[in-house]
Amino acid sequence: LGLGIEIDQPPIKQEGGVTNPKDVERNKNQSIQRCIQSLIHACRCNDEDCFSTCAKMKRLVQHTRSRSCQKKKQHSCTVCKQLIALCCYHSKHCDDDDCSVPFCRSIKNFMNQQQRRQDQRRRMMMMSSSGPSAPPPQPPPPQPPP
């Protein structure tokens, strides 16, 4: 992920030295899960002498939460972008209403709003694509007086 905290594993090669795409994807997902676990741990940990991965993650979280990152204001800080992406991965599966992971609640709220909008658009599309229903019966035109 480039946050400097994951322990990269070498790609798994099949016979003939070809990297198996499924293994690469599995390694990537495992790396993301390790980073998420590290993020959750660091956000809950109060031990100042915790292991180095925890300390690095705490610094990354502190950096991303701070308002002093000038690049974040221009959306060009790769550290902030990557940590927020990791928070998004986490938020998709988090059920904790009092989660200590930064931005978790606001990301979940945003994703829920987007889902509601998509559902509403889908319903509107279904209503419009089902074709017009039979028009309501019209009253007969007025008859001219005899």
Side-chain angles (χ1 to χ4, degrees):
L1 288 177
L3 291 173
I5 56 168
E6 70 271 80
I7 302 168
D8 289 325
Q9 298 175 351
I12 299 170
K13 300 208 179 207
Q14 291 180 327
E15 290 180 33
V18 178
T19 303
N20 183 344
K22 289 181 182 178
D23 291 334
V24 171
E25 187 66 24
R26 188 178 318 117
N27 282 349
K28 179 181 173 186
N29 289 336
Q30 288 172 347
S31 178
I32 290 170
Q33 288 306 313
R34 283 193 304 273
C35 288
I36 288 172
Q37 291 305 314
S38 179
L39 174 66
I40 292 168
H41 169 85
C43 292
R44 293 178 180 165
C45 179
N46 294 320
D47 183 0
E48 292 181 21
D49 297 322
C50 198
F51 58 96
S52 67
T53 304
C54 177
K56 284 182 183 180
M57 185 60 80
K58 284 179 182 179
R59 284 194 303 273
L60 293 171
V61 169
Q62 183 179 15
H63 167 85
T64 303
R65 281 185 167 165
S66 78
R67 300 194 189 282
S68 62
C69 178
Q70 295 301 313
K71 289 182 178 183
K72 182 168 68 171
K73 293 173 185 172
Q74 294 135 9
H75 304 288
S76 63
C77 179
T78 56
V79 171
C80 292
K81 283 181 184 180
Q82 289 178 341
L83 189 72
I84 291 170
L86 191 62
C87 293
C88 287
Y89 276 111
H90 160 78
S91 297
K92 288 179 182 178
H93 304 287
C94 178
D95 296 327
D96 186 357
D97 290 333
D98 294 323
C99 184
S100 57
V101 171
F103 318 114
C104 181
R105 185 178 299 151
S106 59
I107 291 169
K108 282 192 278 192
N109 289 339
F110 178 78
M111 287 190 299
N112 287 336
Q113 285 175 351
Q114 281 206 304
Q115 185 63 50
R116 284 193 298 272
R117 285 186 197 122
Q118 285 177 346
D119 291 346
Q120 187 177 17
R121 275 190 227 116
R122 194 175 298 117
R123 282 192 301 273
M124 296 298 287
M125 292 291 287
M126 288 176 63
M127 288 173 62
S128 67
S129 68
S130 64
S133 55
Q138 297 291 322
Q143 296 290 328

